[in-house]
Amino acid sequence: MNDKHPIHTTISTEALRILERYEKELGAKNTVLERALLGMDKLRFKEKVDAQTISRLIKRVNAGIPGVDNLIEGGIPEGFVVVVTGPPGTGKTTFSLQYLMEGLKRDERCIFFSFEEKVEHLIKQSIRFGWDIGEYIDKGYLEIFGFTMLSTEEIIEIINVFKPKRIVFDSLNTFFDIHEFRRSSQWRSILKEIRDKKITCLAITEKRHGLEVKEYDEFDFMGDGIMFFDKNQRYDLDPYPTYYLQIQKLRITKINEMPHPFIFAGHGLELIGNKGLAKIFGGTLPATQTQKTSNPSIKPVDININST
């Protein structure tokens, strides 16, 4: 059965010269075209990548918090939006400032958009941990917009002019209605800008519950990742609550999903293990609360590209 089909087309003069040159070698114009098309199709399959290739292609951004990068294969994938969430007073803003400080140390431009706190409060918070963010503001590497009333258009313009590599929004609950968020053209416009420019973003949101409740909101579904911050007291009269960080989701990343205790050290947040907890709280904790941050069993593995 003849499986050949006629084709009618027009090509440029330059393309015709190339076709005629290969015709002398292969015998007929249709043979030249057929081989070219089949070759192009094979290239499509050659360009397909497996999980290991994807792992090499993904550029990861260091979080800057000791112990956290070990839980997420070395860092946050570049261009991701990670939701930093939890009840009040659990370290979300401090974590996000520390994340920006890591970028500043690497000569990356950073922006902090705060919808609830004044710039002075954020600066005082950074001074507590010995972070001289004033130096980076003076050098033009950091912009902080405190208690901002900026419009979506103004935020996008700032991003276009400043060209940051890292951004923090604190918090989305103040700027967007949670029930209309995912349908909001305002957020989609900002998100498109972030995606197009491969900016790695932390979006702080608020929760009225802790880790004991498995409940998600519209902000969680939007994010490429979720980092949940919480604190609790082992008993009613315990004056020192234990703080926890749990990586609940991070796309294209093998994550350690255990809740990990952390402390507010002199230089910022830091994950701790058994010895650190025993020293600070004077006792032993249940096994689920004593995960070491440098667990040798946590090793990079092939990426689960279906992870959501």
Short mmCIF file of all heavy atoms in Angstrom, two decimals, residues 7-11 33:
data_model
loop_
_atom_site.label_atom_id
_atom_site.label_comp_id
_atom_site.label_asym_id
_atom_site.label_seq_id
_atom_site.Cartn_x
_atom_site.Cartn_y
_atom_site.Cartn_z
N ILE A 7 2.48 16.92 -1.22
CA ILE A 7 2.47 18.12 -0.37
C ILE A 7 2.72 19.32 -1.26
O ILE A 7 3.55 19.29 -2.17
CB ILE A 7 3.53 18.03 0.74
CG1 ILE A 7 3.46 19.26 1.63
CG2 ILE A 7 4.94 17.85 0.19
CD1 ILE A 7 4.30 19.16 2.89
N HIS A 8 1.96 20.37 -1.05
CA HIS A 8 2.08 21.59 -1.85
C HIS A 8 2.46 22.73 -0.91
O HIS A 8 1.79 22.98 0.09
CB HIS A 8 0.77 21.90 -2.56
CG HIS A 8 0.29 20.78 -3.42
ND1 HIS A 8 0.81 20.50 -4.66
CD2 HIS A 8 -0.65 19.83 -3.20
CE1 HIS A 8 0.21 19.45 -5.18
NE2 HIS A 8 -0.69 19.01 -4.30
N THR A 9 3.53 23.41 -1.22
CA THR A 9 3.99 24.50 -0.35
C THR A 9 4.79 25.51 -1.14
O THR A 9 5.17 25.26 -2.29
CB THR A 9 4.85 23.94 0.80
OG1 THR A 9 5.19 25.01 1.68
CG2 THR A 9 6.15 23.34 0.27
N THR A 10 5.02 26.62 -0.56
CA THR A 10 5.89 27.64 -1.15
C THR A 10 6.99 27.93 -0.14
O THR A 10 6.75 27.96 1.06
CB THR A 10 5.12 28.94 -1.44
OG1 THR A 10 4.50 29.41 -0.24
CG2 THR A 10 4.05 28.70 -2.51
N ILE A 11 8.20 28.11 -0.65
CA ILE A 11 9.33 28.41 0.23
C ILE A 11 10.11 29.57 -0.35
O ILE A 11 10.00 29.91 -1.53
CB ILE A 11 10.25 27.18 0.41
CG1 ILE A 11 10.79 26.71 -0.95
CG2 ILE A 11 9.51 26.06 1.11
CD1 ILE A 11 11.76 25.55 -0.82
N LEU A 33 12.90 16.70 2.11
CA LEU A 33 11.91 17.19 3.06
C LEU A 33 11.51 16.12 4.06
O LEU A 33 11.36 16.38 5.26
CB LEU A 33 10.68 17.70 2.31
CG LEU A 33 10.87 18.97 1.48
CD1 LEU A 33 9.63 19.25 0.64
CD2 LEU A 33 11.17 20.16 2.39
#
